[in-house]
Amino acid sequence: MKRALIKFRCSVYEKKLLQVKAKAAGSSLSAFCRNSLMEQQITERMNEEHINTYKMLVTYHNNFKRIGNMYKKGNPKLSEEVILVAEEIKKHLKSILK
């Protein structure tokens, strides 16, 4: 239960910036300030555009893996290159989730 009240002064610009960052993180202004004060990791929520881009990258990764597997016997060099591209996409997908 949070009962203590703390007030601090800031400029109008700083307040707006804090509100925008709190909204992007999906938390209230007070929760955002508490989390940043305690040096907890604050992650921005994914908006609709980010989610669509993430889904598109997952689809590309799966397609490149399938293409690489398809050419494994016929053209191993091409298969290696395609699988490398799929692994690079996978790295970017993992970095997005962090």
Side-chain angles (χ1 to χ4, degrees), residues 28-53:
S28 66
L29 183 58
S30 59
F32 179 80
C33 290
R34 274 194 308 274
N35 290 340
S36 59
L37 175 68
M38 299 298 182
E39 296 179 357
Q40 295 176 352
Q41 184 178 6
I42 301 169
T43 55
E44 185 176 332
R45 284 189 150 178
M46 294 175 80
N47 62 20
E48 193 65 36
E49 183 180 341
H50 288 124
I51 292 170
N52 289 335
T53 304

Side-chain angles (χ1 to χ4, degrees), residues 44 46 48 82-83 87 89 96:
E44 185 176 332
M46 294 175 80
E48 193 65 36
V82 171
I83 289 175
E87 289 173 2
I89 292 172
I96 290 172

Side-chain angles (χ1 to χ4, degrees), residues 1-8 29-31 33-34 37:
M1 187 66 103
K2 294 170 181 58
R3 294 180 184 194
L5 177 66
I6 298 174
K7 293 183 180 184
F8 64 93
L29 183 58
S30 59
C33 290
R34 274 194 308 274
L37 175 68

Side-chain angles (χ1 to χ4, degrees), residues 18 70 84 98:
L18 284 170
M70 186 172 72
L84 284 175
K98 289 184 179 181

Side-chain angles (χ1 to χ4, degrees), residues 60-72 78-79 82-83:
Y60 287 168
H61 171 262
N62 292 337
N63 290 341
F64 276 112
K65 282 294 248 191
R66 289 181 184 135
I67 292 168
N69 290 334
M70 186 172 72
Y71 286 110
K72 246 181 197 170
L78 174 65
S79 178
V82 171
I83 289 175

